[in-house]
Amino acid sequence: GENVEQHPSTLSVQEGDSAVIKCTYSDSASNYFPWYKQELGKGPQLIIDIRSNVGEKKDQRIAVTLNKTAKHFSLHITETQPEDSAVYFCAATTITGTASKLTFGTGTRLQVTL
Amino acid sequence: DVKVTQSSRYLVKRTGEKVFLECVQDMDHENMFWYRQDPGLGLRLIYFSYDVKMKEKGDIPEGYSVSREKKERFSLILESASTNQTSMYLCASSSPGWVGETQYFGPGTRLLVL
């Protein structure tokens, strides 16, 4: 089955700096890659996603890049703010039966310091 | 506003007890999922359901069962709770039909088995 590796496990940046989180996946059939943000005491929430026919996608301060050949994708957050502090999960989708299944990375705890 | 609710935020049970975790969604979604979240392991899929009375095993189904009698409700059952089932349990739902549907998560149930 699919295996998703995520690095780093923790990341500390100063407010205003950029943060980059990287993920690799194993199943070349995976074709959808969402990123979820989990704030303290809450469930994960989708923040951005990318499909395999696209190399890059941007939404204000966050962007994702995908390299299908190398099977890796990354989340970039620019001009970080304290409210960006959270745990971030990457995921890859595989189709199974009649539902698509997400395989998650192990998470990155991002701390934005003042 | 989309909503996934879980019956308890915190639960303490004894080894050997039968435990029910309930999840309700109000978005008329066909797909529902149960994950467990452990530090350093990310989110791992236990079971999912793509229709009423339908279920499929995820990556770690051992020791768990599920029930989906109504479209909006998906229950996770620990037949005989064990200490290694102490974890955060997250429920999610999504609409079907195409790759890349967003999964909406509940706030989670933190279960402690003594």
Side-chain angles (χ1 to χ4, degrees), chain A residues 52-72:
Chain A
S52 58
N53 58 348
V54 175
E56 184 173 356
K57 183 177 178 181
K58 193 172 182 180
D59 182 4
Q60 299 183 341
R61 295 187 297 106
I62 59 174
V64 289
T65 59
L66 171 64
N67 183 327
K68 280 214 73 177
T69 304
K71 290 192 238 173
H72 64 71

Side-chain angles (χ1 to χ4, degrees), chain A residues 89-109:
Chain A
F89 292 97
C90 62
T93 292
T94 51
I95 303 295
T96 174
T98 59
S100 62
K101 190 179 82 165
L102 286 178
T103 300
F104 285 87
T106 51
T108 296
R109 182 173 298 278

